[in-house]
Amino acid sequence: MKKVAIIMGSDSDLPVVRKALDTLTGYGVPAEMHIMSAHRTPAETARFAAEARRNGFGVILAAAGKAAHLAGALAAGTTLPVIGIPMKSSDLGGMDALLSTVQMPSGIPVATVAIDGAVNAALLAVQILAVEDASLAEKLDAARADMAAAVRKKEAALQNELSNA
Ligand code: RP5
């Protein structure tokens, strides 16, 4: 199976980004996590992107805050799918990072999830790998069935409470 790269701009992103690693691990998807910055370590970032495909990666997650260029900088150096995670690491509540990540000019796409959306970024990576992996697709279906069952249980509990009120 292809690996997923989880790249973050700073160790201050780690508490949120760790949820992506946990999600991938839960699906048995191999992942590597690294700190790299489009601004502070541009050479390492460019090298990582250029070598990612031959190093066995299938998807790259890129988490960054403020003037968040990490996802775009990685996407510029590879045709692997790159998923940007805008981080809520500034006084602007992550809107700065969201717009910096999502507003890529035509030609170099970055799939962008919600502010601090590390779990959905990981799930999207699993879904991309599941295009060619039936057992991963089965795990995704099972997780969605569990999610639906949990909602139905809560609905039943609510209706039960209301009818006894
Ligand atoms: C971004 O700037 C990082 O991704 C982080 O979200 C934000 C702040 O970084 P630190 O100043 O905490 O290292 O590059």
Side-chain angles (χ1 to χ4, degrees), residues 59-130:
V59 184
I60 298 175
L61 311 188
K66 299 186 174 174
H69 295 117
L70 183 59
L74 287 162
T78 180
T79 53
L80 292 175
V82 174
I83 304 170
I85 309 169
M87 301 299 302
K88 194 195 298 180
S89 55
S90 76
D91 293 340
L92 301 181
M95 279 303 292
D96 43 358
L98 172 63
L99 296 177
S100 299
T101 305
V102 79
Q103 287 285 34
M104 286 297 289
S106 293
I108 308 291
V110 167
T112 306
V113 295
I115 295 168
D116 283 358
V119 171
N120 268 1
L123 288 174
L124 189 52
V126 176
Q127 289 181 206
I128 291 168
L129 297 179

Side-chain angles (χ1 to χ4, degrees), residues 13-68:
D13 300 321
L14 186 56
V16 170
V17 174
R18 197 182 286 280
K19 294 176 194 165
L21 181 65
D22 293 344
T23 302
L24 291 166
T25 303
Y27 279 90
V29 172
E32 277 182 26
M33 201 153 66
H34 298 283
I35 299 167
M36 265 170 230
S37 165
H39 310 283
R40 293 165 176 161
T41 60
E44 284 92 328
T45 301
R47 192 177 326 121
F48 187 90
E51 295 174 353
R53 188 182 291 275
R54 69 173 165 275
N55 282 338
F57 293 100
V59 184
I60 298 175
L61 311 188
K66 299 186 174 174

